[in-house]
Amino acid sequence: MKKYIVGFLVLSGWIARAQMRVDQTGFQPQNGATISRRGTDLVVNWPASANEKGKLVLNLENGKPLFNSIQLSKRGAFKEIAKALDPAFVLTVGKRDLISQNGWNIFFDKTNKLPHKAYAVALNKRSASVTTVGSRTVVRISDVQAATFKGAIEITVYNGSPLFNVAAVMATEVDSTAILYDAGLVTTQPVWKSIAWSDTENKMQRIPARLNQENKAQAVKYRTIIGVGDQGSLAVFPAPHQYFYPLDEAFNLDFTWYGSGYRRLVPAFGIGIRQDLMGDRRWVPWVNAPPKTQQRLNFFCLLSTEAPDQALDEVKRFTHNDRYPVVAGYKTMSSHFHNEFTMNVVLANKPIPEKPAFVDVFKNAGVNIVHLAEFHGPGHPKGPDSLRLRELKALFEQCKRLSTNDFLLLPGEEPNNFFGGHWLEFFPKPVYWIMARKPEMPFVTEDPAYGKVYRIADKNDMLKLLQLENGLAWTAHARTKGSTGFPDAYKEEEFFKSDHFFGAAWKNIPADLSEPRLSRRVLDLMDDMANWGHKKHVIAESDIFTMEPENETYAHLNVNYLQLDKLPDYSQGWQPVLDIMKQGKFFVTTGEVLFPAFSVHGKGAGETVRLPDDGKTTIALEVDWTFPLTFAEIVSGDGKTVFRERIDLTKTLPFGKQKFTFNTNLKGKKWVRVEVWDAAVNGAFTQQVWLE
């Protein structure tokens, strides 16, 4: 009898496994991908290029590795790149401060020093589905759970590339939650012969893969770690910008890992990506996880039948080698850097290098124009005169010395006086000014050594200075950090209404892995300002303190592509840079999505167009991209309400360039702009076109 019962249980278990239903109602085979069943395996094939295919063999039996086999063809014959792998996720759950400042837009939070706990995400294979989403195929396997978070695994393969994404898509009901996640692929079998990466000096490193290798956090360049087998390489890397929560520094905090026993929660051997819980030891806000939001804890994998250095070259293509590429008719500009080179080196009696390291960091990243934010802490912005003027002179001299015909280093400050909150100033030439004036002192004087010197007492003086010297000002990190409540609090002030108040700056604060775009905080403000009736603009900012070669700079960088054919000469002033900014003739990007051309009825960004009476409008947009695109959005407003029209772009393949024509109706609208976002939540947005 006992023998019979055991036999019945074994048979019942086999039937349960064999009968696990895979919902294929959402799958459409016409795009080149195929799916099939083979026992407990689900086999997914997809066109990885014009001539080659990728294959994932997924085991749907509990207790067995999810990735039974990962393959890529070479000259038509499949090569097994890896096998017997499981995705591994570690979710660290902490507490978000929603009370003391500005709710979910908080930056000044130290979640790392509040109670938190890490959990291994557990997978229980209960059901599966396969869905076609444009040119990609998504396999969803339920259920996953960690603490109060529940959800499913989603595996997405992308036609046209040996690229796939693995995500634990999870939500919690608990309010005030902040999270971080680490992830990767693990195995109990000798899958890889070696582990490889590029070190921070851009040199390939390679070590033997040993199952008993103690876990190690590893600093790398390009955010990528690679498992190398007999027949090829598998590269693991994060979304290049979305994965990195906002910090004041871009330190390389060992963002990958390899070995066994990761965080004492993942016993098997593996490779993956990680976040440092302590961040840069300043303000460490982690990632928002509002209740019921679908947080995508995800990483990318790229397959190659070649050696690891060639696999890494393919990964680097997605970020143009961490460089902002040349676009004809544009120059790249990045803003808001607290290098403090003037105070920390030039005036600190230290040897002044012929070319400081930060200059090469910018040049190697393809940044043509750098707008600094010096004296943010050090220095004497309010005087005494002798120190303040000496500091400005040193700043101007170094900017002139380090500027060349293809690189402009331009002075700027974050004054944080007079207007409210934090803001940046930008003058088109060296201007000597002191951020204090007693009642008996004149607004402007002539100094025998420095020439014209301004002294500023209040917001009226500051606006007058901007007008006289044709400068610009804008809200830094609007609606967060030291600008919480701004520019909203001064939107009716004369200085804000002035043409010399440019608008605001955009950076990915806060981080939220459920969002399909970065920094909705500032994009919403951009639309609000337009509906307030002001022709303001939004420029990209980085707001970081040090720029060293070993830093993970690209993850925290973003740029503005200004419509400039050539750079002005520093000695002649850089008024053309400010003119283009003021006119709104630029687009903002993380770097992977580019807009070589954009127009609304033939008019470009920052211009005004008269619409036909029926409101029918043609928007032309040329897009250049790396990761496959997800959507475009036409955003418009009528002075009160913001309207969004989403255009699905999931049919796009990786590495494309296309001219899109969007036909829409803008009757009654006063302005319009366009955003485009990709599968890694990289994106770009135009400035407004104003409508009549």
Side-chain angles (χ1 to χ4, degrees):
M1 184 67 177
K2 186 175 182 180
K3 183 176 181 180
Y4 171 78
I5 294 173
V6 172
F8 175 78
L9 291 174
V10 171
L11 178 62
S12 298
W14 180 85
I15 292 172
R17 292 193 301 270
Q19 291 181 344
M20 179 190 282
R21 182 174 174 272
V22 178
D23 182 356
Q24 301 179 27
T25 56
F27 177 72
Q28 301 170 5
Q30 73 268 17
N31 67 2
T34 64
I35 57 173
S36 60
R37 293 296 301 272
R38 192 171 64 199
T40 59
D41 286 339
L42 175 67
V43 182
V44 182
N45 284 271
W46 79 97
S49 67
N51 303 312
E52 306 296 353
K53 291 185 177 295
K55 179 188 291 186
L56 299 181
V57 182
L58 304 174
N59 193 319
L60 300 182
E61 181 181 349
N62 274 316
K64 297 294 180 66
L66 178 59
F67 292 98
N68 193 355
S69 183
I70 300 175
Q71 303 175 28
L72 182 65
S73 69
K74 183 177 183 179
R75 292 189 287 273
F78 276 105
K79 304 289 184 181
E80 187 169 69
I81 307 302
K83 64 179 181 179
L85 293 174
D86 265 316
F89 296 88
V90 173
L91 177 65
T92 303
V93 182
K95 184 73 172 173
R96 168 66 73 240
D97 174 5
L98 296 179
I99 305 300
S100 68
Q101 295 166 58
N102 55 338
W104 292 106
N105 279 336
I106 188 172
F107 175 83
F108 294 131
D109 206 357
K110 293 190 175 182
T111 46
N112 57 336
K113 295 186 178 180
L114 297 174
H116 57 268
K117 187 175 180 180
Y119 304 85
V121 175
L123 170 62
N124 182 16
K125 303 171 188 173
R126 297 169 56 89
S127 63
S129 65
V130 186
T131 307
T132 299
V133 181
S135 65
R136 58 208 71 172
T137 303
V138 181
V139 179
R140 184 178 174 90
I141 302 168
S142 298
D143 297 315
V144 292
Q145 184 170 356
T148 62
F149 284 78
K150 297 178 181 179
I153 292 286
E154 288 188 1
I155 301 166
T156 305
V157 301
Y158 303 95
N159 282 10
S161 176
L163 179 75
F164 64 96
N165 181 271
V166 184
V169 185
M170 309 174 75
T172 183
E173 299 283 339
V174 178
D175 203 3
S176 307
T177 299
I179 62 171
L180 287 182
Y181 79 93
D182 311 328
L185 296 170
V186 299
T187 183
T188 59
Q189 300 183 27
V191 173
W192 291 304
K193 299 294 183 183
S194 60
I195 306 299
W197 64 87
S198 172
D199 65 22
T200 57
E201 295 182 353
N202 209 17
K203 297 177 181 177
M204 288 298 295
Q205 302 295 331
R206 193 163 171 173
I207 62 168
R210 295 179 284 107
L211 291 180
N212 62 351
Q213 165 73 50
E214 183 179 352
N215 182 263
K216 184 180 187 301
Q218 181 62 54
V220 303
K221 194 171 177 63
Y222 308 113
R223 304 160 297 281
T224 302
I225 193 159
I226 304 168
V228 186
D230 289 330
Q231 300 192 78
S233 305
L234 189 158
V236 173
F237 58 100
H241 302 280
Q242 185 204 39
Y243 183 59
F244 298 84
Y245 62 91
L247 295 170
D248 283 332
E249 293 283 6
F251 297 145
N252 192 314
L253 300 174
D254 303 346
F255 293 114
T256 69
W257 61 270
Y258 64 85
S260 60
Y262 183 69
R263 292 187 67 180
R264 300 183 180 179
L265 291 169
V266 182
F269 176 88
I271 60 174
I273 60 173
R274 64 178 294 275
Q275 282 286 7
D276 190 302
L277 301 185
M278 299 303 295
D280 61 7
R281 277 62 177 173
R282 292 167 63 92
W283 299 101
V284 187
W286 289 8
V287 177
N288 283 346
K292 299 182 180 180
T293 57
Q294 298 294 314
Q295 298 293 318
R296 290 188 59 85
L297 322 180
N298 73 96
F299 61 94
F300 287 90
C301 299
L302 187 127
L303 307 178
S304 173
T305 56
E306 307 299 331
D309 52 343
Q310 293 167 286
L312 183 60
D313 284 344
E314 290 302 306
V315 172
K316 288 157 58 178
R317 287 184 64 208
F318 286 99
T319 58
H320 304 288
N321 292 358
D322 284 12
R323 182 179 176 86
Y324 295 95
V326 173
V327 176
Y330 291 85
K331 297 298 180 184
T332 55
M333 173 192 174
S334 199
S335 175
H336 201 158
F337 298 96
H338 301 297
N339 295 25
E340 305 300 356
F341 181 69
T342 304
M343 295 302 301
N344 294 342
V345 177
V346 178
L347 298 179
N349 296 319
K350 295 180 180 179
I352 301 175
E354 181 177 347
K355 185 167 64 171
F358 71 83
V359 172
D360 277 338
V361 171
F362 285 120
K363 286 188 173 183
N364 291 339
V367 179
N368 306 129
I369 306 167
V370 173
H371 174 229
L372 296 174
E374 293 283 84
F375 313 127
H376 188 62
H380 301 82
K382 295 185 178 182
D385 292 7
S386 58
L387 294 179
R388 168 64 171 172
L389 299 178
R390 175 172 173 258
E391 290 161 4
L392 284 174
K393 183 174 186 292
L395 171 63
F396 300 151
E397 289 175 344
Q398 291 302 313
C399 285
K400 180 178 181 179
R401 181 179 75 86
L402 296 170
S403 293
T404 61
N405 59 0
D406 62 354
F407 177 74
L408 279 180
L409 185 66
L410 300 180
E413 296 181 73
E414 187 176 6
N416 308 335
N417 291 304
F418 314 122
F419 289 161
H422 288 203
W423 55 280
L424 266 68
E425 54 86 340
F426 195 22
F427 291 111
K429 62 181 181 179
V431 173
Y432 287 95
W433 65 295
I434 299 166
M435 300 182 201
R437 178 167 69 86
K438 295 178 181 179
E440 68 275 10
M441 299 180 71
F443 169 70
V444 59
T445 57
E446 284 292 330
D447 186 278
Y450 299 101
K452 189 177 295 183
V453 176
Y454 297 94
R455 288 176 174 80
I456 308 303
D458 54 25
K459 60 187 177 183
N460 298 317
D461 278 358
M462 191 66 229
L463 175 58
K464 186 177 179 181
L465 172 59
L466 291 170
Q467 292 169 334
L468 289 172
E469 293 293 349
N470 209 19
L472 293 178
W474 59 89
T475 310
H477 41 75
R479 293 177 172 175
T480 191
K481 299 183 79 171
S483 294
T484 297
F486 298 101
D488 307 66
Y490 51 60
K491 68 178 183 179
E492 299 301 327
E493 295 273 6
E494 286 304 313
F495 67 81
F496 181 80
K497 294 178 181 180
S498 164
D499 290 343
H500 293 275
F501 201 95
F502 168 82
W506 176 87
K507 175 182 176 174
N508 186 31
I509 306 174
D512 186 329
L513 300 167
S514 71
E515 291 277 359
R517 53 170 64 82
L518 302 179
S519 197
R520 180 163 52 90
R521 165 187 60 91
V522 182
L523 297 174
D524 287 349
L525 171 62
M526 187 178 188
D527 303 331
D528 289 344
M529 290 190 297
N531 271 347
W532 294 343
H534 303 303
K535 292 185 177 181
K536 304 298 182 186
H537 304 290
V538 163
I539 197 167
E541 68 175 351
S542 290
D543 192 7
I544 50 181
F545 281 73
T546 56
M547 301 288 291
E548 298 298 330
E550 67 272 14
N551 283 9
E552 179 43 67
T553 300
Y554 185 76
H556 297 273
L557 205 56
N558 45 52
V559 298
N560 309 279
Y561 274 78
L562 308 183
Q563 291 182 32
L564 283 171
D565 289 321
K566 65 178 183 178
L567 294 183
D569 185 297
Y570 183 97
S571 298
Q572 302 302 313
W574 45 95
Q575 186 67 55
V577 174
L578 279 74
D579 290 343
I580 291 299
M581 289 173 56
K582 191 173 182 180
Q583 294 164 19
K585 294 183 177 298
F586 64 94
F587 67 88
V588 175
T589 179
T590 56
E592 299 78 9
V593 181
L594 304 171
F595 295 158
F598 163 66
S599 65
V600 177
H601 265 341
K603 295 292 186 178
E607 296 183 322
T608 300
V609 61
R610 181 176 292 278
L611 295 180
D613 292 340
D614 60 7
K616 292 182 179 179
T617 308
T618 299
I619 297 177
L621 183 68
E622 185 175 334
V623 187
D624 192 327
W625 68 88
T626 58
F627 287 91
L629 301 177
T630 302
F631 68 92
E633 199 157 70
I634 300 171
V635 187
S636 60
D638 62 2
K640 294 181 179 179
T641 305
V642 176
F643 303 87
R644 301 181 184 279
E645 181 182 346
R646 182 171 292 199
I647 297 138
D648 180 64
L649 296 178
T650 56
K651 291 184 179 180
T652 55
L653 301 179
F655 302 107
K657 187 172 185 177
Q658 184 175 340
K659 294 180 179 179
F660 294 95
T661 300
F662 305 134
N663 294 311
T664 189
N665 194 306
L666 296 174
K667 186 176 179 65
K669 307 301 192 303
K670 295 184 176 181
W671 54 268
V672 65
R673 63 180 183 85
V674 176
E675 302 175 18
V676 175
W677 299 90
D678 70 18
V681 197
N682 310 302
F685 59 89
T686 71
Q687 301 300 296
Q688 281 96 341
V689 172
W690 311 102
L691 309 177
E692 292 182 345

